[in-house]
Amino acid sequence: MFKKIILRIFAAVLFFLCIAVHTKAQDLLRNYDLSSIKVDKISDADILKFKKQLDASGLTEQQAEQIAIAKGMPITEVQKLRVRLQQLATAGTSTSTQNNYNNPANTQPAYRNNLQDTGFNQLYGNDTTNRRPLINPRIFGSELFNNSTLNFQPNISVATPLNYIIGPGDQLNISVYGVQEIDIPVTVSPEGNIIIPNVGRLQVSGTTIENATQKITSLMGRTAYSTLRTGASKLSITIGQIKSIAITVTGSNKPGNYTVPSLATAFNALFVAGGPSQFGSFRQIQLIRNNKVFKNIDLYRFLVNGDQSDNITLQNNDVIRIPAYKIKVIIDGYVKRPGIFEMLPDETLQDLLTYSSGFADSAYTSSVKIVQFTGKELSVKDVSATDFGNYKMQSGDSVIVSKVLNRFTNRITLTGAVYREGIYELTDGMTLRDLINKADGFREDAFMQRAQVFRLKDNLSKEMLSFTPSDTIQQKSILLKREDSVVVSSIFDLKDQYYISVLGEVRNPGYYEYRDSLTLKDVILQAGGFTDAAFPQRIEVARLMRRDSLTAQDVRASMIIEVKDITDISATQNNVYLQPSDLITVKRKPGFVAFQSITVSGELQYPGPYVLEKREERVSNIIKRAGGFTPEAYLEGAYIKRLNVSDETAQAKQQVISNIQSQLNDSSNLVQQSVQKQSDQIPLNITKILSAPGSPEDVVLISGDELIVPKYNAQVRISGSVLFPTQIPYNEKYNIHDYISSAGGIAENGRKSKTYVVYANGRAATTRGFLFFKNRPDIKPGSEIVVPEKEEKQKISTAEFIGLASAIASLAGVVIAILHY
């Protein structure tokens, strides 16, 4: 019984230990003290959970290692953790997690590390994804602490430096090689001693690797390792595991005590602490060692010159103190790096320009403006370039660098008929002749009788000077001034650009540029020559009338020149010299008509396309050419489908639609749909056509028509406002009411009086009446009976009824008043 109790207690303790290890694996980044973590005791599943936590936090692997070391995790455990993570990634245990972990988009700035531990989370809230930077990005040097790619992580994989100072906790690897060979790992005790087997105890704490090597060589050479004394063997010392040191950072965004590797430097500590706070200095940071200022750190030396002399290695119990800044200034405008800068007491405006990387290319460098605080109000100071090195900056100064003026001190412009247009430098005593020579002279098309110089007066008003270009070449000319604009016109700028128009039967009708000595045959050649339909025996050239005066007897609008027989455009005879704006018309041969065709479809013997034989080909002639009708043809359903393809017809119909809609105040598209049909259906009376060919019933066909003769259809369709729209077989004894009754009768919204019939050929008929007599349309096979709907009447609303009643009451009152009067 007692044994069972002991076993249960042991199982419970083991369970809680597993839970503790599991919790540590999940919260590695949140624990303040990681010195007790043993990676070997953490399972792969817990390692993966830690990796997911790392990915969710947005930290890189290097940043996580740095935080772990700062919280006391031994370097050996950090290395083991890195190996475990790499092994799990290689095995592919969590591919998606690894992808997110390596994704550069997931890396976050280092100021988001360990927010809970420093109280920084309370300052910025619980959302770790949308925090503003720790340091204002405008402050020069803020990129060192806002940029996640910079972390100044100490390199613990480098060779042991000879000036490394040994301390308690360091693991030394003593290696003897040569005649005697042995490797002896020893650890420096808290008292600073090491114990070498078979040699003895030696005090090494506080000494450098170089001094410790000499002391150990001397001690071991006096014992069993005599070859060290003779030089036959050599001894070297390396650091197997470096110690951790405790430092303190004040005045930073994340002040506090930190445990860091003994190889950590000042920059590394500043990065972990989040950099200087809002009022912290970047230039007067103090490294205090043994209660004395050991080093003054100026980050500008690194930022401006890349000098890392201030990035010294830290020692145990070092304190990094960031005092408040003394002088901060702002520089804006046209400098390469505008922003907020910290200045030392003896630094000048020239130093500030150096820190801001100098003026921008378009900056006004002769002077800058400085806005200052006087203690009561603001003041402005202009500092010239000669005083940049003498003016000492004051805290709160705001330097403004302006842009150069958008004007030229020595520019002149030359445009027009010269060989080299553009802007030129104005030199002392420069004349028009000098400028024209620089431009390689006038072009051949230059108008040599007059040119202009546009000049700005001293009051910026404009004036124009005229000169003769031909005189400028021969004698000294006008003296030029700044911003003069010289314009030399071309002879082509002073006259219209003329064209010749070609219409009619040429391959490329259109407009052609007029040139001197241009002839009729030249233009016809440019237009691609005559078409097959051209009638070159008669060509007209229309010419504009140019007269000095107009009389009542002169009624001519243009001059028509008739040119005959120019079939051979290569011949020189029968040619005409053209003048600007002439219009040439090449006529078509009399009676020339291109092939025109129609289509015959349906119940004819030979359906298909047919070319029109005559200019007025009629339906009767086409029926004859098509071999007549088949036995199944329904002649009363024959019709012509005619396309509406003419642009002129479409424009005319559009005008009709606009007029109808404006008169009816119709905003719907019903009229437009009715008029703008793609085709029309023309009903045919085949009986009359065959009995009287050439009569008005015998329709004249045009190109694109389709003659359709349907097959006999013994059905009648009833549609519209009936109870059951349907088709029923044709019955010669039925009238229109019988067919409507077969469809269930007229619906409630049907208009019986407006019922109409559409026959198979497209003709429509409706009921006609005279007095008490009504003539209802006959029903034939293939017909459709349509019962239209009644127009929906809008019910009067309550408000409208009240308004109407009030109007009637008022009108009644007026009538009564008139009657009494």
Side-chain angles (χ1 to χ4, degrees):
M1 184 69 181
F2 180 73
K3 290 182 179 180
K4 290 183 179 181
I5 295 175
I6 295 297
L7 289 175
R8 289 179 180 177
I9 295 174
F10 178 76
V13 172
L14 183 61
F15 174 75
F16 285 114
L17 285 175
C18 292
I19 291 177
V21 172
H22 178 75
T23 303
K24 289 181 178 180
Q26 287 187 338
D27 297 331
L28 284 176
L29 297 179
R30 297 180 181 177
N31 291 341
Y32 186 77
D33 186 9
L34 302 180
S35 59
S36 61
I37 290 293
K38 298 297 181 182
V39 177
D40 293 336
K41 297 182 179 180
I42 303 176
S43 65
D44 289 346
D46 292 333
I47 292 291
L48 287 176
K49 291 179 180 179
F50 163 69
K51 192 171 185 304
K52 290 180 180 179
Q53 179 188 0
L54 182 66
D55 294 336
S57 68
L59 300 176
T60 64
E61 183 178 343
Q62 292 78 13
Q63 291 173 337
E65 291 178 2
Q66 183 178 356
I67 293 174
I69 293 172
K71 293 185 177 182
M73 189 173 184
I75 298 298
T76 54
E77 299 300 323
V78 172
Q79 293 172 343
K80 290 179 182 179
L81 182 60
R82 185 190 306 130
V83 172
R84 292 282 299 277
L85 288 171
Q86 291 174 352
Q87 289 175 347
L88 291 175
T90 304
T93 305
S94 181
T95 304
S96 61
T97 304
Q98 179 68 15
N99 289 338
N100 288 331
Y101 180 73
N102 290 330
N103 187 355
N106 290 334
T107 58
Q108 301 292 336
Y111 58 77
R112 294 179 182 168
N113 300 351
N114 196 19
L115 301 178
Q116 262 186 335
D117 295 341
T118 61
F120 199 71
N121 204 30
Q122 300 175 358
L123 180 61
Y124 289 114
N126 295 323
D127 184 9
T128 62
T129 58
N130 297 310
R131 284 201 183 94
R132 61 184 175 87
L134 284 174
I135 302 175
N136 184 354
R138 292 206 68 201
I139 296 177
F140 183 58
S142 61
E143 61 270 18
L144 292 179
F145 309 101
N146 292 343
N147 190 348
S148 62
T149 60
L150 297 174
N151 54 27
F152 301 101
Q153 181 178 357
N155 188 355
I156 60 177
S157 301
V158 298
T160 305
L162 295 178
N163 61 349
Y164 177 78
I165 298 177
I166 301 172
D170 282 338
Q171 179 180 330
L172 306 181
N173 293 326
I174 303 173
S175 178
V176 178
Y177 56 94
V179 175
Q180 294 179 294
E181 292 186 358
I182 188 172
D183 292 325
I184 306 173
V186 294
T187 302
V188 181
S189 66
E191 293 78 15
N193 300 321
I194 60 172
I195 299 176
I196 304 174
N198 302 321
V199 174
R201 184 190 303 271
L202 181 63
Q203 177 74 25
V204 293
S205 179
T207 63
T208 63
I209 290 290
E210 185 177 14
N211 292 335
T213 301
Q214 294 176 358
K215 294 173 65 175
I216 294 172
T217 301
S218 175
L219 179 62
M220 293 180 66
R222 292 197 299 270
T223 58
Y225 304 96
S226 59
T227 55
L228 290 173
R229 190 173 59 253
T230 62
S233 297
K234 301 293 183 181
L235 183 143
S236 66
I237 298 177
T238 59
I239 301 295
Q241 177 180 329
I242 63 174
K243 63 181 179 295
S244 296
I245 60 175
I247 64 169
T248 301
V249 182
T250 63
S252 64
N253 282 302
K254 296 186 289 185
N257 298 322
Y258 290 88
T259 301
V260 297
S262 55
L263 291 178
T265 63
F267 287 2
N268 172 236
L270 288 171
F271 179 81
V272 173
S277 63
Q278 180 181 359
F279 300 103
S281 171
F282 279 70
R283 309 202 56 190
Q284 296 177 318
I285 302 172
Q286 296 176 344
L287 174 60
I288 300 174
R289 183 171 294 170
N290 298 326
N291 298 323
K292 295 181 181 179
V293 177
F294 180 77
K295 180 75 174 179
N296 286 315
I297 300 174
D298 186 351
L299 292 179
Y300 278 27
R301 281 196 284 264
F302 171 71
L303 292 168
V304 177
N305 303 317
D307 183 0
Q308 295 199 57
S309 59
D310 291 339
N311 192 22
I312 63 174
T313 303
L314 300 176
Q315 294 186 13
N316 195 35
N317 296 324
D318 277 353
V319 176
I320 296 178
R321 175 180 173 271
I322 304 176
Y325 67 83
K326 294 182 179 178
I327 301 175
K328 255 188 185 178
V329 299
I330 301 174
I331 183 167
D332 280 317
Y334 289 86
V335 291
K336 295 176 182 175
R337 208 288 187 189
I340 303 172
F341 293 83
E342 181 180 350
M343 307 296 293
L344 296 179
D346 294 332
E347 288 184 329
T348 64
L349 177 58
Q350 186 63 52
D351 297 320
L352 175 61
L353 291 172
T354 301
Y355 297 149
S356 62
S357 301
F359 291 109
D361 296 335
S362 57
Y364 176 63
T365 59
S366 297
S367 67
V368 299
K369 295 185 181 299
I370 301 178
V371 178
Q372 298 177 326
F373 293 99
T374 63
K376 181 180 180 181
E377 55 189 1
L378 296 174
S379 67
V380 178
K381 184 177 183 64
D382 291 327
V383 181
S384 62
T386 56
D387 294 330
F388 286 172
N390 300 324
Y391 179 80
K392 293 185 178 181
M393 304 301 299
Q394 301 178 17
S395 188
D397 282 357
S398 180
V399 182
I400 302 172
V401 180
S402 303
K403 187 180 181 181
V404 295
L405 297 176
N406 188 19
R407 56 178 290 177
F408 291 84
T409 58
N410 61 343
R411 179 181 68 172
I412 52 176
T413 306
L414 176 61
T415 57
V418 293
Y419 282 105
R420 299 185 184 277
E421 298 181 81
I423 61 174
Y424 288 87
E425 176 191 4
L426 175 65
T427 57
D428 292 338
M430 188 175 182
T431 64
L432 268 173
R433 180 178 178 181
D434 300 329
L435 177 61
I436 299 301
N437 289 335
K438 280 189 174 184
D440 291 341
F442 299 106
R443 291 202 314 255
E444 290 80 356
D445 62 322
F447 183 68
M448 302 299 290
Q449 282 68 44
R450 181 175 292 272
Q452 294 89 27
V453 178
F454 297 92
R455 174 167 293 174
L456 286 177
K457 294 182 179 180
D458 294 338
N459 61 358
L460 298 183
S461 62
K462 296 180 180 180
E463 67 174 339
M464 187 187 72
L465 305 176
S466 299
F467 68 95
T468 303
S470 57
D471 296 341
T472 302
I473 301 175
Q474 300 175 0
Q475 58 187 3
K476 199 170 183 180
S477 57
I478 300 174
L479 188 67
L480 296 175
K481 294 185 177 181
R482 183 182 68 85
E483 292 299 324
D484 277 355
S485 177
V486 181
V487 180
V488 180
S489 299
S490 169
I491 58 175
F492 301 111
D493 298 333
L494 305 178
K495 63 180 181 179
D496 292 336
Q497 189 171 5
Y498 296 111
Y499 292 91
I500 301 296
S501 303
V502 183
L503 304 177
E505 297 301 324
V506 291
R507 288 185 174 84
N508 300 305
Y511 295 93
Y512 294 88
E513 185 178 355
Y514 172 79
R515 295 178 176 83
D516 290 339
S517 303
L518 187 67
T519 66
L520 173 61
K521 293 186 177 181
D522 294 330
V523 174
I524 291 175
L525 183 63
Q526 292 182 45
F530 299 114
T531 65
D532 292 338
F535 186 61
Q537 285 76 16
R538 190 172 182 180
I539 298 176
E540 289 185 352
V541 177
R543 182 164 294 168
L544 293 175
M545 293 298 300
R546 293 178 173 86
R547 51 171 74 90
D548 295 332
S549 61
L550 181 65
T551 62
Q553 293 76 20
D554 190 358
V555 295
R556 295 174 299 168
S558 63
M559 181 186 299
I560 304 299
I561 303 172
E562 187 172 299
V563 183
K564 297 183 179 180
D565 194 12
I566 60 168
T567 306
D568 186 5
I569 61 176
S570 63
T572 58
Q573 62 272 17
N574 297 336
N575 205 357
V576 176
Y577 283 99
L578 300 176
Q579 293 184 9
S581 303
D582 279 356
L583 188 149
I584 301 169
T585 305
V586 180
K587 301 181 182 300
R588 177 176 291 195
K589 292 177 181 178
F592 181 88
V593 178
F595 289 126
Q596 296 180 335
S597 64
I598 66 166
T599 303
V600 174
S601 60
E603 299 305 314
L604 289 104
Q605 295 290 342
Y606 307 109
Y610 286 83
V611 176
L612 297 180
E613 182 181 3
K614 303 174 183 178
R615 290 197 298 272
E616 290 189 358
E617 188 92 5
R618 295 181 181 271
V619 173
S620 59
N621 192 31
I622 291 297
I623 293 174
K624 183 179 179 180
R625 292 171 61 187
F629 304 103
T630 65
E632 294 82 12
Y634 182 47
L635 302 185
E636 293 188 6
Y639 64 92
I640 294 173
K641 181 180 178 181
R642 179 163 292 175
L643 300 177
N644 297 322
V645 295
S646 173
D647 293 338
E648 295 180 358
T649 304
Q651 293 177 1
K653 287 186 176 181
Q654 184 63 40
Q655 185 64 36
V656 171
I657 294 170
S658 300
N659 293 336
I660 293 175
Q661 288 184 324
S662 62
Q663 292 175 10
L664 299 179
N665 294 324
D666 179 22
S667 59
S668 67
N669 60 351
L670 297 178
V671 177
Q672 185 175 7
Q673 291 176 357
S674 176
V675 178
Q676 284 189 331
K677 295 187 297 183
Q678 293 185 353
S679 63
D680 291 328
Q681 185 172 337
I682 303 174
L684 298 176
N685 191 335
I686 297 297
T687 303
K688 290 185 179 181
I689 290 174
L690 295 179
S691 62
S695 64
E697 295 286 345
D698 196 0
V699 179
V700 176
L701 299 171
I702 63 175
S703 180
D705 281 354
E706 183 179 3
L707 174 60
I708 301 174
V709 180
K711 184 180 290 188
Y712 178 79
N713 180 16
Q715 299 290 325
V716 176
R717 180 180 178 86
I718 303 95
S719 62
S721 294
V722 292
L723 295 180
F724 185 70
T726 184
Q727 293 186 29
I728 63 174
Y730 170 73
N731 190 333
E732 61 182 5
K733 296 181 179 180
Y734 278 14
N735 58 23
I736 190 170
H737 293 298
D738 295 330
Y739 285 106
I740 293 176
S741 298
S742 299
I746 298 177
E748 184 179 355
N749 61 343
R751 298 182 66 182
K752 180 179 179 181
S753 61
K754 297 297 183 180
T755 302
Y756 61 92
V757 178
V758 179
Y759 296 103
N761 62 358
R763 186 171 59 87
T766 185
T767 302
R768 291 178 295 174
F770 177 74
L771 298 178
F772 300 104
F773 302 98
K774 292 186 178 181
N775 184 17
R776 295 182 175 85
D778 296 331
I779 308 300
K780 297 181 179 181
S783 300
E784 181 178 0
I785 302 171
V786 181
V787 180
E789 292 182 0
K790 293 180 180 178
E791 184 179 359
E792 184 178 355
K793 295 182 179 180
Q794 186 176 4
K795 296 181 179 180
I796 187 170
S797 64
T798 303
E800 291 173 339
F801 179 78
I802 295 174
L804 181 61
S806 300
I808 294 174
S810 300
L811 180 61
V814 173
V815 172
I816 293 171
I818 293 174
L819 293 176
H820 281 288
Y821 180 76

